[in-house]
Amino acid sequence: MSEKLNDKPLLGPQEIRDLADMLGIRPTKTLGQNFVIDPNTIRRIVAAAEISPEETVLEVGPGLGSLTLGILDAAKNMVAVEIDPPLAAQLPHTIEKFRPEKAGDIQVVLNDALKVTELPVAPDALVANLPYNVAVPVLLHLFATFPSIRHALVMVQDEVADRLAAVPGSKIYGVPSVKANWYAEVFKAGVIGKNVFWPAPKINSGLVGFTMRPEPLSDISRDEVFTIIDAAFAQRRKTLRAALSGWAGSGARAEQILVRAGIAPTERGEKLDIHGFIAIAEAARDLAAEEKTGE
């Protein structure tokens, strides 16, 4: 029998397997499909997501709908983006069976989350079990494309969760850590074991929370800041003077920009937080403007 949340059924192992058998689906590594089969894990994720009853929630990769049902219980409505046509076609029927009173509160979009640029409704929150192989690109794309998102909670490979939440100076701090911080304050929200999935992955999963920044950290172009981040981490052992020489045009100019930004040219990228990279971008912009004025 299905287990209950607030007297409403959640999908357990038998329901998930029955749905998969009915659709002739076998989870594929290509799509990163690992379906949650434990109702207690669904309860935990939904509670950690802190969804309010007035919110519209975006779910990416709803799969067979186990997390979807839990989200619907907490949210006003939701939009689900699913890349797999049979799964996208089945989801409304699953909602109709298990949450008939909420059947009109979800819209399913058949699309690749890396390519989606429009949704039928603006989401307030993102809650998802993201495919391991594309988790970071999907997150950054959604944050950039849908600024209405105010907070997010995602389940990803545990080491990816650690990387996203890493702080400057740690060995795992890198491009995902800095870029995520452009959009949000990031925090690790827990670890999920392997046995709550079908099929069970080889490693644990991690929950990562995001509190989106209400305003951009700077009026500088995000793309310009991200270009500097990419250059700084291209070779971790290099000093910023050396790492940014290609971007700046020369080592001397990189040093000039860094000094102007209040950053030692001998510093390394993994020591800077997002504010440091913004300072570099702003210094480069101001220097170029001064040089243009002086022509």
Side-chain angles (χ1 to χ4, degrees):
M1 294 293 291
S2 303
E3 296 194 36
K4 306 275 184 173
L5 173 65
N6 297 329
D7 295 327
K8 295 179 181 180
L10 289 171
L11 302 183
Q14 192 60 54
E15 289 82 10
I16 291 293
R17 288 187 170 88
D18 287 347
L19 277 169
D21 287 343
M22 181 183 73
L23 296 172
I25 285 174
R26 289 293 173 266
T28 69
K29 288 185 179 180
T30 305
L31 297 179
Q33 291 173 329
N34 297 92
F35 302 123
V36 181
I37 58 173
D38 176 50
N40 283 330
T41 299
I42 299 302
R43 295 184 183 98
R44 180 180 171 191
I45 294 170
V46 172
E50 298 185 346
I51 302 164
S52 80
E54 300 81 29
E55 288 186 316
T56 296
V57 176
L58 167 62
E59 183 186 12
V60 171
L64 292 167
S66 51
L67 179 57
T68 312
L69 293 178
I71 295 172
L72 272 174
D73 289 338
K76 178 182 179 182
N77 52 39
M78 63 183 296
V79 55
V81 176
E82 175 58 59
I83 192 174
D84 191 346
L87 291 175
Q90 174 59 35
L91 189 59
H93 300 292
T94 301
I95 303 303
E96 182 65 44
K97 178 179 179 180
F98 289 94
R99 295 292 187 281
E101 75 281 6
K102 299 287 285 186
D105 296 337
I106 181 170
Q107 299 183 66
V108 181
V109 175
L110 177 61
N111 206 335
D112 182 344
L114 280 169
K115 298 177 180 177
V116 64
T117 57
E118 293 184 9
L119 293 173
V121 60
D124 302 301
L126 167 67
V127 182
N129 171 22
L130 293 177
Y132 284 177
N133 53 343
V134 293
V136 171
V138 164
L139 268 177
L140 296 179
H141 170 70
L142 294 176
F143 288 165
T145 307
F146 302 109
S148 62
I149 295 172
R150 297 198 299 265
H151 63 104
L153 184 85
V154 299
M155 185 159 52
V156 295
Q157 187 175 329
D158 195 35
E159 65 179 42
V160 174
D162 288 337
R163 206 175 301 142
L164 283 165
V167 297
S170 66
K171 291 182 179 179
I172 57 173
Y173 182 75
V175 171
S177 324
V178 194
K179 289 184 177 179
N181 267 274
W182 169 270
Y183 298 104
E185 294 182 11
V186 187
F187 57 94
K188 183 84 175 282
V191 177
I192 303 293
K194 297 172 278 195
N195 295 330
V196 303
F197 296 95
W198 175 66
K202 294 181 179 179
I203 51 179
N204 289 334
S205 298
L207 294 176
V208 191
F210 303 83
T211 302
M212 311 309 291
R213 303 188 186 281
E215 300 291 340
L217 292 174
S218 171
D219 62 353
I220 199 77
S221 160
R222 177 187 65 231
D223 290 342
E224 183 60 30
V225 177
F226 281 16
T227 297
I228 297 168
I229 294 168
D230 290 334
F233 284 95
Q235 293 179 280
R236 291 181 70 98
R237 291 188 179 88
K238 282 192 172 184
T239 65
L240 282 168
R241 184 188 191 281
L244 299 181
S245 61
W247 162 77
S250 70
R253 186 169 182 84
E255 180 167 341
Q256 185 181 12
I257 293 169
L258 287 163
V259 170
R260 188 184 185 101
I263 296 167
T266 54
E267 191 63 276
R268 286 172 169 77
E270 56 264 34
K271 298 292 186 180
L272 297 189
D273 63 11
I274 184 61
H275 301 284
F277 287 102
I278 289 171
I280 295 170
E282 291 175 341
R285 176 193 61 187
D286 295 346
L287 180 60
E290 287 179 10
E291 290 172 342
K292 188 174 183 180
T293 303
E295 289 178 356

